[in-house]
């Protein structure tokens, strides 16, 4: 029989009550301690986070500077366009479902989706990512009606680069494109917040810092939906500087029309200012395709084209300069005392080194007879320069030619220039670990063998010759306009050096020979000089693409077009007080006198006679 023990039960109840009260006080103490920690100790941190929920710092991207030609023709501008952008973190549905719904309202290509997903891996959280650029007004209107169904999807208005003349001058101007992952690592990220574009090629890239400007910021208060209620603070952006080029876009357009049927390049420089009036490379392409991301189809078509439209032949095309360098080789002979202007060489149609049977052929099979420096230029006698180069030696020839910027970059203010090649003993030993042979010097004398030059280098060298040795750095930009101060700063021509020869009349001798090329009866380009309303100096050139055996004769009809010789021509005009120096190359164009010279003459006529 169980006997109830009230005293024992009361004792147990009392103990349990004490424990319960102790635990309750302990938990209350912990709660109060936590509240004190959050509200007192961490007060400032949570106040800041609370403000961040309602106050945001938004970047204000600057307006990119405009680009004009020398006459004020607009070459690169900014246009307002509308883009559809998504903030992935704010989506309330799966991305694929959202994309399917959007396709019913606006046109979205697979390339747009691919680009969006690629950029989403590079962007920071809560940053919007463009899905479609350049929406039509109809697409904007249709989305606006359905906007409440798409959380995290917005239409943004922004400035987009536009090139009103399309492909004209693209190899000089370049283009902008979307900032890629590699570029993000080297740019000042704080100055590119809110900016999607950066210069990729040409002037757009070289002058990126000046064109881009300085990003501004504004502190805004937003509601729970992220919409701006009011602006609390604002630092205005600083617009990029406007650039004025030396480029004459009307002459550029005319030149490109003439060159349109050829793979070719042409450069025109004003000898007085060193300003580049024309920098043409054909074929070309529309830079507007690249601004907002070119489609795979369009890019593959450009990249895989056998005509190589993306290749800037004017500053990157490295070709054997052929006979266009003979005036400079002849000057080297005069300067080093190896020849005088009266020295004569007998040309019988070929040249051989002493003790060797190999014949270095002249373009004229029967030879030119007795020639001096003047007549060798006039008739483009190869034998004269074979013999002269051998007597000079490659070391002296190399050093002299480099004074005219052969074998090194000219320093032009656009990106991508290559320096060509002026060979030497040391270069061959370093490159091939082989000795230099006398026969290699011989063919260097007529711009063949290892020697390579760009059309820009030939134009710069011709400009230096027309200026009697004053070497000026070629310039694309002649002025900058600062929108903030509304002041224009002129970029003066830079005379980097002056080539001093032992006698000043050496210049006149070389120029006289080049004058005879176009104005004498026996000149190799006398057809283009015949009937000219002004006097000028020029030199033709033909560069071999393939080697012809001793027992064979070059016959273009038997060869594929890609094996035909390159055609070259350099000139400056007028003869007194030159206003332009020009170089032109036509790939696989045949003879310089028949193909390249007539093109150059048309360009010179258009510039000198159009007014």
């Amino acid at each position: 029989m169980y006997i109830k023990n009230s005293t024992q039960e009361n004792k147990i109840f009392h103990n349990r009550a004490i424990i319960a009260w102790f635990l309750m006080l302990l938990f209350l103490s912990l709660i109060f301690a936590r509240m004190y920690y959050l509200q007192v100790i961490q007060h400032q941190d949570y106040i800041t986070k609370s403000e961040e929920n309602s106050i945001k710092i938004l970047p204000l991207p600057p307006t990119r500077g405009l680009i004009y030609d020398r006459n004020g023709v607009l070459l690169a501008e900014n246009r307002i366009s509308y883009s559809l952008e998504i903030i992935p973190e704010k989506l309330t549905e799966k991305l694929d479902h959202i994309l399917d719904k959007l396709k019913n309202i606006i046109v979205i290509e697979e390339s747009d989706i691919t680009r969006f997903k690629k950029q989403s891996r590079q962007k920071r959280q809560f940053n919007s990512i463009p899905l479609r650029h350049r929406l039509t007004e109809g697409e904007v209107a249709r989305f606006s009606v359905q906007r409440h169904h798409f959380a995290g999807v917005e239409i943004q208005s922004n400035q987009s680069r536009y090139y009103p003349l399309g492909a004209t001058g693209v190899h000089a101007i370049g283009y902008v494109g979307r900032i890629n992952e590699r570029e993000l690592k080297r740019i000042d990220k704080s100055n590119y917040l809110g900016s999607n574009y950066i210069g990729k090629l040409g002037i757009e890239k070289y002058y990126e810092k000046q064109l881009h400007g300085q990003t501004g910021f504004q502190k805004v208060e937003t509601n729970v939906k992220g919409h701006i209620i009011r602006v609390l603070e604002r630092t205005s952006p600083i617009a990029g500087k406007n650039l004025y080029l030396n480029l004459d876009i009307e002459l550029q357009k005319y030149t490109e029309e003439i060159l349109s049927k050829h793979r070719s390049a042409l450069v025109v420089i004003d000898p007085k200012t060193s300003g580049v009036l024309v920098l043409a490379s054909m074929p070309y392409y529309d830079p507007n395709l690249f601004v907002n991301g070119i489609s795979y189809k369009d890019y593959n078509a450009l990249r895989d084209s056998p005509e190589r439209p993306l290749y800037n032949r004017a500053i990157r095309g490295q070709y054997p300069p052929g006979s266009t360098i003979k005036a400079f080789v002849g000057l080297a002979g005069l300067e080093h005392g190896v020849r005088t202007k009266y020295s004569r060489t007998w040309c019988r149609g070929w040249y051989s080194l002493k003790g060797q049977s190999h014949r270095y052929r002249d373009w004229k099979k029967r030879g030119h007879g007795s020639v001096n420096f003047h007549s060798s230029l006039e008739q483009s006698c190869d034998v004269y320069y074979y013999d002269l180069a051998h007597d000079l030696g490659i070391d002296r020839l190399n050093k002299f030619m480099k004074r005219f910027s052969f074998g090194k970059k000219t320093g032009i203010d656009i990106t991508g220039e290559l320096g060509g090649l002026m060979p030497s003993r040391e270069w061959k030993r370093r490159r091939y670990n082989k000795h230099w042979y006398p026969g290699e010097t011989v063919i260097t004398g007529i711009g063949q063998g290892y020697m390579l030059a760009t059309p820009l280098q030939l134009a710069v060298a011709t400009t230096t010759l027309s200026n009697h040795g004053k070497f000026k750095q070629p310039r694309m930009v002649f002025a900058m306009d600062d929108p903030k101060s509304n002041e224009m700063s002129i970029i003066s021509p830079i005379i980097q050096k002056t080539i001093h020869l032992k006698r000043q009349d050496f210049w006149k001798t070389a120029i006289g020979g080049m004058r005879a090329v176009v104005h004498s009866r026996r000149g190799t380009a006398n057809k283009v000089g015949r009937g000219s309303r002004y006097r000028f100096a020029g030199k033709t050139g033909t560069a071999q693409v393939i080697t012809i055996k001793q027992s064979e004769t070059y016959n273009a009809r038997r060869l594929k077009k890609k094996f035909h010789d390159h055609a070259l021509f350099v000139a400056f005009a007028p003869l007194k007080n030159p206003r332009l120096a020009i170089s032109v190359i036509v790939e696989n164009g045949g003879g310089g006198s028949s193909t390249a010279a007539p093109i150059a003459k048309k360009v010179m006529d258009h510039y000198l006679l159009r007014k």
Side-chain angles (χ1 to χ4, degrees):
M1 180 177 178
Y2 174 74
I3 298 175
K4 186 176 182 181
N5 189 339
S6 300
T7 302
Q8 184 67 27
E9 288 180 356
N10 287 335
K11 187 177 180 180
I12 293 172
F13 175 79
H14 180 72
N15 291 337
R16 289 178 177 175
I18 291 173
I19 294 173
W21 274 103
F22 176 79
L23 291 174
M24 184 174 66
L25 288 173
L26 177 63
F27 287 124
L28 284 172
S29 298
L30 291 173
I31 292 172
F32 281 119
R34 182 61 178 169
M35 290 176 65
Y36 178 83
Y37 176 79
L38 295 175
Q39 296 187 23
V40 179
I41 298 176
Q42 294 290 317
H43 170 77
Q44 191 59 45
D45 289 343
Y46 284 98
I47 282 292
T48 303
K49 290 182 179 180
S50 176
E51 288 182 351
E52 286 178 352
N53 289 334
S54 59
I55 297 175
K56 297 183 182 297
I57 305 297
L58 300 179
L60 297 173
T63 300
R64 192 172 181 85
L66 308 179
I67 300 177
Y68 300 88
D69 88 328
R70 67 191 293 113
N71 299 309
V73 178
L74 187 60
L75 306 179
E77 63 176 323
N78 305 307
R79 287 187 173 183
I80 297 296
S81 64
Y82 296 94
S83 60
L84 186 71
E85 301 190 4
I86 297 176
I87 302 176
E89 292 80 8
K90 289 189 176 182
L91 296 180
T92 56
E93 302 177 59
K94 289 185 177 181
L95 177 62
D96 291 338
H97 184 53
I98 291 291
L99 294 175
D100 289 337
K101 289 167 63 177
L102 286 171
K103 287 179 180 179
N104 295 325
I105 303 173
I106 63 175
V107 176
I108 299 175
E109 304 288 348
E110 284 302 317
S111 58
D112 296 324
I113 297 173
T114 301
R115 185 176 62 248
F116 171 84
K117 291 182 176 179
K118 181 179 179 181
Q119 292 179 11
S120 66
R121 294 191 292 269
Q122 302 171 0
K123 287 281 186 177
R124 290 181 292 182
Q125 283 192 334
F126 293 99
N127 278 9
S128 62
I129 305 167
L131 176 64
R132 251 290 308 279
H133 294 282
R134 295 184 180 176
L135 300 178
T136 65
E137 292 183 2
E139 289 174 327
V140 172
R142 288 197 299 273
F143 177 79
S144 299
V145 173
Q146 302 291 329
R147 181 178 177 180
H148 60 283
H149 293 305
F150 298 95
V153 184
E154 297 283 346
I155 286 183
Q156 300 287 346
S157 64
N158 47 61
Q159 290 188 343
S160 180
R161 201 62 155 175
Y162 181 72
Y163 303 94
L165 299 182
T168 300
V170 62
H171 288 290
I173 301 166
Y175 60 83
V176 302
R178 300 192 68 80
I179 301 172
N180 60 38
E181 197 169 354
R182 185 180 67 257
E183 290 161 340
L184 275 173
K185 294 178 181 178
R186 62 176 177 81
I187 63 174
D188 178 2
K189 294 183 178 64
S190 63
N191 195 35
Y192 279 83
L193 290 173
S195 298
N196 295 316
Y197 305 102
I198 193 170
K200 299 287 186 177
L201 284 176
I203 290 166
E204 289 276 27
K205 182 176 181 180
Y206 190 93
Y207 287 96
E208 170 63 25
K209 183 178 180 181
Q210 292 82 355
L211 287 166
H212 176 70
Q214 189 71 35
T215 297
F217 296 91
Q218 66 179 3
K219 190 177 184 180
V220 300
E221 184 178 352
T222 61
N223 59 21
V224 293
K225 293 183 178 180
H227 297 151
I228 297 174
I229 300 174
R230 60 187 174 124
V231 177
L232 302 176
E233 190 179 331
R234 177 185 173 90
T235 301
S236 298
I238 301 174
K241 295 180 179 180
N242 299 326
L243 302 184
Y244 291 83
L245 310 186
N246 284 298
L247 211 65
D248 185 329
I249 205 64
E250 196 275 335
L251 183 63
Q252 174 88 21
K253 190 173 183 178
Y254 176 80
T255 299
E256 290 172 346
E257 289 174 356
I258 296 175
L259 297 175
S260 61
K261 296 180 180 179
H262 309 281
R263 295 188 306 278
S264 52
L266 188 148
V267 178
V268 178
I269 296 177
D270 182 344
K272 293 181 180 178
T273 66
S274 72
V276 179
L277 303 176
V278 173
L279 193 144
S281 176
M282 298 299 288
Y284 52 16
Y285 58 93
D286 187 353
N288 292 304
L289 293 171
F290 288 86
V291 174
N292 291 309
I294 189 170
S295 68
Y296 287 110
K297 180 181 178 182
D298 289 338
Y299 180 71
N300 289 340
L302 291 172
R303 183 195 61 189
D304 300 334
S305 170
E307 303 298 309
R308 303 176 71 189
L310 297 175
Y311 185 53
N312 189 344
R313 291 167 166 83
I315 63 172
R316 296 185 64 81
Q318 300 182 110
Y319 307 92
S323 297
T324 58
I325 66 160
K326 286 179 177 176
F328 306 101
V329 177
L331 278 174
L334 297 179
E335 177 69 6
H336 286 286
V338 176
R339 296 286 187 279
T340 69
K341 66 178 182 178
Y342 304 109
S343 299
R344 289 191 168 271
T345 299
W346 182 261
C347 173
R348 50 186 168 182
W350 52 271
Y351 173 81
S352 287
L353 290 168
K354 188 174 181 179
Q356 294 185 13
S357 61
H358 181 85
R359 292 184 175 184
Y360 299 91
R361 292 179 290 193
D362 193 282
W363 70 268
K364 190 175 183 181
K365 193 173 182 179
R366 292 177 297 174
H368 300 273
S370 179
V371 293
N372 58 16
F373 182 24
H374 181 279
S375 56
S376 71
L377 276 177
E378 174 190 43
Q379 301 172 52
S380 197
C381 174
D382 293 331
V383 169
Y384 180 91
Y385 295 95
Y386 289 147
D387 191 43
L388 173 56
H390 178 257
D391 290 347
L392 275 168
I394 192 60
D395 296 327
R396 288 192 292 188
L397 186 58
N398 173 275
K399 289 180 181 179
F400 187 85
M401 297 297 281
K402 281 188 173 180
R403 296 169 74 183
F404 288 88
S405 201
F406 289 109
K408 56 184 179 180
K409 296 179 181 179
T410 65
I412 189 172
D413 52 338
I414 56 175
T415 57
E417 181 189 8
L418 295 179
L421 174 61
M422 187 62 218
S424 66
R425 297 176 192 275
E426 174 59 25
W427 168 83
K428 189 181 179 186
R429 186 196 62 77
R430 190 172 61 250
R431 178 71 181 272
Y432 298 108
N433 195 27
K434 292 182 178 180
H435 295 292
W436 184 266
Y437 297 104
E440 294 170 326
T441 304
V442 169
I443 59 176
T444 302
I446 63 164
Q448 292 285 169
Y450 294 118
M451 186 178 180
L452 299 172
T454 66
L456 175 64
Q457 286 177 318
L458 289 171
V460 170
T462 305
T463 300
T464 305
L465 179 62
S466 73
N467 283 327
H468 289 202
K470 291 181 181 178
F471 177 84
K472 300 178 182 179
Q473 185 177 7
R475 303 293 300 181
M476 294 298 304
V477 174
F478 81 84
M480 295 185 191
D481 181 13
D482 191 341
K484 185 179 181 181
S485 61
N486 201 27
E487 294 181 355
M488 180 178 288
S489 57
I490 305 298
I491 301 174
S492 301
I494 302 172
I495 301 178
Q496 290 188 317
K497 61 183 178 183
T498 299
I499 300 172
H500 296 287
L501 300 182
K502 291 178 180 178
R503 291 176 53 178
Q504 277 296 108
D505 65 330
F506 289 167
W507 298 111
K508 294 181 180 180
T509 302
I511 292 172
M514 291 177 66
R515 177 190 179 278
V517 169
V518 293
H519 291 300
S520 76
R521 181 176 58 85
R522 294 188 297 178
T524 55
N526 69 83
K527 288 184 179 180
V528 297
R530 196 177 301 158
S532 177
R533 292 167 58 183
Y534 54 88
R535 296 293 179 181
F536 64 102
K539 185 67 193 78
T540 56
T542 303
Q544 287 184 347
V545 176
I546 58 172
T547 302
I548 304 299
K549 295 180 180 179
Q550 289 276 293
S551 58
E552 295 178 349
T553 303
Y554 176 81
N555 189 333
R557 294 179 182 180
R558 296 178 182 177
L559 297 172
K560 293 181 179 179
K561 180 71 174 178
K562 65 180 181 179
F563 297 129
H564 287 192
D565 293 341
H566 297 322
L568 301 99
F569 187 72
V570 297
F572 64 86
L575 202 61
K576 295 181 179 179
N577 299 317
R579 291 174 55 197
L580 63 82
I582 188 171
S583 73
V584 58
I585 181 167
V586 180
E587 291 184 6
N588 312 120
S593 59
S594 59
T595 306
I599 291 174
K601 186 59 165 63
K602 288 180 181 179
V603 174
M604 291 191 294
D605 283 351
H606 189 77
Y607 183 70
L608 297 174
L609 305 178
R610 64 180 171 178
K611 294 180 181 180

